[in-house]
Amino acid sequence: MVKVIVDENQLLPYMKLLKFIISGGITFGFIYLLSTYSAFGIAQLPAFGKWLDPFGGFWNNSRSEQQIAKESLHFAGLSSAVEVVYDERLVPHVFAQNESDALFVQGYLEARHRLWQMDLMARSAAGRLSEVLGDKTLEIDRLQRRKGLAYGAEKAVTGWVETAGDRMNPFMRYVDGVNAYIDQLDERNMPMEFKLLGYRPETWTALHSALISKSMAQTLCSRETDLETTNALKELGPQIFSFLFPEYNPKQTPIIPEDNMVLPLDSMLGPAIGSTGTSRHRRPEPLATEFLGSNNWAVAGSKTASGYPILCNDPHLKLTLPSIWFEIQLHTPEYNAYGVSVPGFPGIMIGFNEHIAWGETNGSEDVLDWYEMDWVDGSNTQYHFDNEIRTVEYRVEEIKIRGAETVVDSVRYTHFGPIVYESEDSEEADLAMRWIALDKPDRFEPATFLDLNKASNYEEYVAALQNYISPAQNFVFACDDGDIGIWVNGRFPIKTPGQGTAVTLADESSDLWTDYIPHAELPHVRNPQQGFVGSANQHPTDPGYPYYYNGNFDDYRGRILNRKLSQMEEITAEDMRALQNYNYSILAEEALPLLLDHLDTTQLTTVQLGLVELLRNWEYEFKKDSKAAILFDKWWSSFYKRTWDEFYKLDEQMSIRFPEDWRTIDFLANYPLIVYWDDQATPQRETPGDIVTLAFLEMYDNLHLQLEEETFNWGIYAPLQIEHLAKIEAFSRPGLATGGYSSALNAIRGPSGTGPSWRMVVELGPEVKAYGIYPGGQSANPGSPYYDQMIDDWVDGAYYELHFLKSPDQTDPNYWLHQEFKPR
Amino acid sequence: MKFLLQIILIIGLGFILQLFFPFWVISIVGFASALGFRYRKALAPFLAAFLGGLLLWGGMAYYQNLPNDGQLAERVSALMGFGGVWTLIILTGVLGGLLAALGSLSGYFLRDLFQGQKKPSA
C-alpha cells in the first residue's frame, strides 16, 4: 500500500487556476447562450442578452417616437430641404420642393415606421420567409416560388426600366429614402421585430417594391375556382352544372348602369366550357378567401347638400397590426395629395388632392387560369402543343433556411407559365398557371398612382389609369369641377365564352390568351344620369357587354349600395359615413322571409317560437347588439350545409365548387322539387320545409345555452381579432365586438379577421373636407401609443377629420413635431 | 466599503460603456472591477457585482419604460408568457446582475491566482 502524500500548498495554484478557468468558462458560455438565437435548438427563441439589454434590446424601442424630435437629418439623396409636420395621429405631412424629394422622404418615413412589415411582405412574396423564420415556413416558400412571384417581380422591374424613361428617377428616390433609413440603423435602434427575430434588414431595391406590388396582386387578383369548377363539371355533368352555377344573378346591379338592360337567355344557362382536362384535382392550399372585397362610390353634386361631389372608399382586407395602410400627405409646388399608401411602394394609392379624389375596389375578374399539361413521357419535361413537342425551361430556386441546409427546387416553366401544382399520383395532373401578374409589363405601372396624386381633371385621371395592369381595380373618381366616373381598370385577356372557368387542356394555341381588351373598351362610365357611380366587387357590366369575362362576383353589397344611393338626396359627408357603416344585408332580407315561410312551427316549443318572433321583427341589420343576427347567421349556415350536403361529401374527396348564396335562395323560393333537398344520410326524402326546420332546431341546439344570457349579442358571438403580422398574440387585438357582415356594406367578418381596412369620405369643393380612419395606428412599434391608436374609434364607426395642410407652419400644439430633412 | 465602491464602479463604468458596447460589456466591467479590490472570499465580489448589474440593468429598464407607461413592456411580458412589467424589469435586472457577477467572480479568481501566497490564511 502506497501512501501518497500531497502538499496542499503545492496544489493550491492549480486549484486556483482551475477555479478561474471554470468561472471564466461559465461566463463565456453564459454570454454565448445569451447572444444565440434559437439557443438549445428551441425554434425562434430570441437571444436573451441582446433582447433584454436595457440599453440596446427591446427596452430601447420604448422611446421610438420621442426620438424623432432629436433627429437631425441630412441626406445626400435630397435636392432641397423637406419639412415634415406630424399631427396627433402621427400622420406625417411632407412639404417638399419637388416630387423626387417628396418620394425620398415618403420612403424614409415608411421605413421609419413600418420597415419590418415591408421586409416581411416582400419576403413572403419572394418565398424567402424561411431565411429568417426557419424550416416551418418551407412549404409556404416553396409554393410561392412555384407561383413565380419573384420571377414576376423581376420581369416587372425590367419592364418598368424599359418603359419608364425619366420617370424611373422619382421611383428610385423612394427606394433611396428607404435605404437612407436602413443605412443609419444599428443593433440598438432597429425596429423591435428585427431584434426579436434576430436578423438585420437588407438593402431595399426596386425589386422589393415590385414584390410589394406582386403581393398585392396575389391578395387581390389571384382568385379563381378553376379546379373546383372542373371537378364539379365532371361530377354533375354540364347540364346540371349550368343549372346550379349560372354566371349571372339577374337581380345583380352591375357597376356600369344600363338603362336598357337586356339579359340574354344564354347567360342564365351558364358558360359553354371548352376542352377541360381529364383529371380530378385537389388544391394543395386553401382557396383564396372570399371575404376580401371593397366598396367605393362617388355621388355627383346634383345629389349632395353642398353641390360638390363626395367620394367614398373602404377596401376590405385582412385586418392586421401593423395595418396594410400608412397615412401620409405629400405636398410639392406641383401638387398636394393626401391619403394612404402601402408601405414599400411610392405614391398615395387611395386619397385626394385639391381637385380630385380617387379610390379603388378589387376587380374580381378571373385573370389566373390553369392548364393541364399533356406530357410526352413520364419525365414530365416535354409536352405536346399544336402537333409539336415543346420542352420546359427550368428556374432554379434556392430556398435558404435558417438553421438548416438550403433546399433547391427546380421549377418548370412552360410557355403558359410555371408548373405550380405538381401531381403526387397519376390520378392527378401537373397544372401550369397562366397569371397576368407574371407578364413583363409594357408600361410603367407605378406611374398610375404618381399621376393620380397630381391629376386635376377627368382626362388626367384617364391618362393615369392607362399605365395600370394588375391587380385589376375599379377606380372611382370625383373632381371639384363636377365630374364623377368609374373605370374597371387593369389588363384583361380576351376570352371565348367559358374560357378559363375550368382547367383547360394545354395542347392547342387556341387555349392561349392572345389579346387583351383595349383600355378604352373596358367598362367605364362618366357622369351617368343616376348621379352616382359605385362598385362593390360585383359584376362590372350586364351580360350585354361584348367581351366575355368570368370571376367570383359579390351579389349583395353592390345591390344595397345602388339601392341606397338611388334613394338618397341632399347627401352630406355624415350620410356617407353612416352608409359605410351600414349593417343591412340583402342576403338576410331575401333569405329570412323564405326560411320563416318554410319553417314548420308546429314542431317548436314556446321558447323557440319566441326566437321566431325575434327574427320576424328583425330589420336585417347586423348590429353589434343584435341577437337576431346570430340566429339568422347560424340558421342560414346550417340550412346551407344541409342543403348542399352532397357537395360537402364530395369536398372530402376533391376540391369542389359550392353553389352561391343567391342561387340557394332562388332554389328555396322556386324549386321545391329538386333532388338536392334530400338529406342523403336519411332513408326518407326531405322537403325544403324539412331542411329549414331541421336547420332551425340545429341552430337552437347549438345556441340555446348562450341565448339565455342577457348580454349575448352579435358583437360577442362573432368577435373580430386584429392579428399581428407575425401572429404574435401579445401584439394582437382580440375580442373586438363590432357590427357588420360580409354581405353588408360594413363588411366586417369577425371569424376571418377581414373588414374595412381604411374608411375614407372626401367632400370636394373650394376647401376639401375629408374624413378617414383605419383599424390600427401609424407606428408598427407595439410600445408606441400610435400602435393601435385608432382601433377603438374604428370599432365605434367614428372618423377623424383629416388635416389637409397647405403649409408646414402650424401653431396648433396638435402638430407636435416639426422635422427637417436637409440635403447634405 | 469596497463592497459599496465596487457596486458604484459597476454602475458608473457600466452605464458609460453600455452606451457604446453590446450587452456583454457588463461582464467585462464586473471582471475589471473585481481586479481592483481585494476580497477574502468569492461571495462578496460576486454579490457586489450582482447588485451593481441588477441595479444598472433594472434601473435602466425602469427608466426606458417610463416614457410609454409600460405599454411595450406589458406586451413583451405577455409575449414571453408571464404577466407584468415589474417581472420583466426584475428579470432584466437579474440577467444584468448575473452577467456582472460571473465576470466579477472570474476577476476575483484571477487576482487570487496571482496573489495567492500573500493572501492571509483563513
Side-chain angles (χ1 to χ4, degrees), chain A residues 507-793:
Chain A
D507 55 356
E508 286 176 342
S509 40
S510 62
D511 303 324
L512 286 166
W513 299 353
T514 48
D515 211 350
Y516 301 93
I517 302 175
H519 191 263
E521 293 173 24
L522 291 173
H524 63 274
V525 65
R526 179 184 187 179
N527 300 330
Q529 197 81 56
Q530 62 185 15
F532 66 89
V533 293
S535 68
N537 320 105
Q538 79 270 42
H539 270 276
T541 65
D542 70 37
Y545 182 64
Y547 295 103
Y548 174 82
Y549 59 88
N550 67 298
N552 304 316
F553 298 103
D554 183 81
D555 282 297
Y556 295 108
R557 278 180 294 112
R559 288 172 60 197
I560 188 70
L561 177 65
N562 284 326
R563 182 197 289 177
K564 293 300 285 184
L565 287 179
S566 56
Q567 290 166 355
M568 293 169 92
E569 299 292 340
E570 292 285 306
I571 293 169
T572 63
E574 205 181 338
D575 297 335
M576 298 290 84
R577 298 199 296 260
L579 191 56
Q580 283 185 334
N581 283 281
Y582 195 37
N583 295 317
Y584 189 93
S585 164
I586 291 188
L587 167 70
E589 174 197 282
E590 291 186 341
L592 184 57
L594 284 168
L595 291 174
L596 289 169
D597 278 355
H598 284 82
L599 182 65
D600 179 2
T601 48
T602 59
Q603 296 185 32
L604 303 185
T605 63
T606 322
V607 179
Q608 289 165 343
L609 286 170
L611 298 181
V612 172
E613 209 41 43
L614 198 64
L615 281 164
R616 276 194 208 286
N617 294 322
W618 184 46
E619 288 169 342
Y620 316 121
E621 286 190 57
F622 286 78
K623 290 181 180 169
K624 173 158 63 174
D625 57 6
S626 168
K627 225 169 203 166
I630 309 171
L631 304 179
F632 171 76
D633 179 65
K634 200 80 185 166
W635 190 7
W636 170 255
S637 64
S638 171
F639 165 74
Y640 183 93
K641 283 191 187 119
R642 284 172 177 274
T643 304
W644 302 118
D645 55 326
E646 298 85 353
F647 285 76
Y648 284 91
K649 213 167 168 188
L650 285 171
D651 194 48
E652 289 165 15
Q653 303 150 35
M654 67 190 81
S655 304
I656 193 90
R657 189 164 153 190
F658 282 80
E660 289 181 81
D661 286 342
W662 74 264
R663 191 61 168 158
T664 309
I665 294 170
D666 195 20
F667 286 142
L668 184 58
N670 302 314
Y671 298 84
L673 297 175
I674 53 167
V675 65
Y676 295 99
W677 295 120
D678 185 34
D679 182 346
Q680 303 224 301
T682 62
Q684 72 270 25
R685 179 161 182 148
E686 280 80 8
T687 64
D690 294 337
I691 298 299
V692 166
T693 308
L694 282 168
F696 184 91
L697 294 172
E698 186 185 12
M699 174 268 284
Y700 180 78
D701 278 349
N702 287 328
L703 288 177
H704 74 277
L705 287 177
Q706 289 161 289
L707 284 170
E708 286 163 16
E709 295 164 30
E710 195 65 35
T711 52
F712 187 55
N713 61 32
W714 177 244
I716 292 168
Y717 167 74
L720 173 69
Q721 158 150 285
I722 302 183
E723 247 188 355
H724 184 260
L725 276 175
K727 303 198 187 300
I728 297 172
E729 216 181 314
F731 298 167
S732 306
R733 283 291 304 269
L736 301 169
T738 71
Y741 201 50
S742 43
S743 60
L745 284 171
N746 185 22
I748 296 173
R749 181 83 193 168
S752 62
T754 54
S757 57
W758 162 242
R759 291 184 179 128
M760 180 183 84
V761 173
V762 183
E763 188 167 27
L764 295 165
E767 290 292 326
V768 181
K769 284 203 188 75
Y771 308 85
I773 191 167
Y774 67 83
Q778 288 284 88
S779 171
N781 180 357
S784 165
Y786 305 102
Y787 176 67
D788 58 354
Q789 189 193 20
M790 297 183 262
I791 288 183
D792 294 329
D793 286 337

Side-chain angles (χ1 to χ4, degrees), chain B residues 104-118:
Chain B
S104 176
L105 193 65
S106 306
Y108 165 78
F109 283 132
L110 185 67
R111 185 175 166 135
D112 194 37
L113 185 62
F114 292 109
Q115 295 189 341
Q117 303 306 329
K118 293 174 203 162

Side-chain angles (χ1 to χ4, degrees), chain A residues 70-354:
Chain A
K70 294 177 200 152
E71 281 170 354
S72 168
L73 301 157
H74 292 262
F75 297 109
L78 286 174
S79 64
S80 52
V82 179
E83 279 192 76
V84 178
V85 195
Y86 280 93
D87 68 24
E88 75 278 11
R89 288 186 294 116
L90 202 72
V91 177
H93 304 258
V94 178
F95 291 84
Q97 295 311 310
N98 56 62
E99 184 186 36
S100 291
D101 284 353
L103 296 181
F104 180 95
V105 172
Q106 186 192 4
Y108 182 92
L109 294 174
E110 290 183 350
R112 173 76 184 74
H113 299 291
R114 300 289 186 86
L115 181 61
W116 182 75
Q117 160 186 9
M118 293 161 60
D119 180 273
L120 187 81
M121 201 167 167
R123 244 174 223 293
S124 152
R128 290 180 53 210
L129 290 174
S130 304
E131 258 174 50
V132 295
L133 298 177
D135 58 8
K136 69 168 190 175
T137 51
L138 176 61
E139 287 314 309
I140 299 171
D141 280 345
R142 196 198 296 271
L143 193 55
Q144 289 296 76
R145 303 284 183 123
R146 294 213 173 154
K147 285 181 179 171
L149 273 85
Y151 163 86
E154 285 165 22
K155 281 195 155 187
V157 174
T158 314
W160 293 350
V161 169
E162 283 172 14
T163 53
D166 58 1
R167 310 248 10 221
M168 200 63 194
N169 191 45
F171 180 85
M172 289 311 292
R173 292 290 78 73
Y174 176 89
V175 172
D176 293 344
V178 175
N179 287 323
Y181 177 71
I182 293 175
D183 290 345
Q184 57 81 46
L185 283 180
D186 59 34
E187 294 257 357
R188 280 157 201 271
N189 60 7
M190 254 192 301
M192 66 164 288
E193 299 97 326
F194 291 103
K195 292 181 182 175
L196 183 62
L197 296 169
Y199 74 101
R200 285 168 169 279
E202 62 187 10
T203 302
W204 196 261
T205 63
L207 181 68
H208 288 81
S209 287
L211 283 165
I212 298 286
S213 128
K214 296 301 160 194
S215 169
M216 292 300 281
Q218 182 174 32
T219 307
L220 297 170
C221 84
S222 66
R223 291 201 281 183
E224 41 75 31
T225 54
D226 296 7
L227 280 63
E228 293 71 13
T229 300
T230 309
N231 290 337
L233 257 169
K234 277 197 214 352
E235 290 299 320
L236 304 169
Q239 271 179 315
I240 296 175
F241 177 85
S242 301
F243 175 67
L244 291 181
F245 296 96
E247 287 205 325
Y248 197 92
N249 177 359
K251 289 181 179 171
Q252 172 103 240
T253 56
I255 297 173
I256 307 303
E258 279 295 333
D259 294 335
N260 306 303
M261 196 192 281
V262 183
L263 282 179
L265 197 60
D266 279 355
S267 69
M268 285 301 295
L269 293 174
I273 290 168
S275 62
T276 55
T278 52
S279 312
R280 289 251 157 66
H281 304 286
R282 183 109 200 126
R283 194 181 289 271
E285 56 177 331
L287 205 55
T289 172
E290 59 188 294
F291 301 119
L292 303 180
S294 307
N295 311 318
N296 66 12
W297 64 87
V299 284
S302 60
K303 281 180 82 81
T304 65
S306 71
Y308 285 99
I310 300 177
L311 181 139
C312 307
N313 192 188
D314 56 307
H316 313 150
L317 297 170
K318 177 91 185 162
L319 304 177
T320 56
L321 281 168
S323 161
I324 178 88
W325 303 110
F326 185 75
E327 219 177 312
I328 193 166
Q329 179 179 0
L330 298 176
H331 185 287
T332 72
E334 201 186 352
Y335 68 96
N336 184 12
Y338 188 113
V340 287
S341 82
V342 172
F345 206 79
I348 290 168
M349 288 194 181
I350 297 174
F352 55 94
N353 60 34
E354 275 156 357

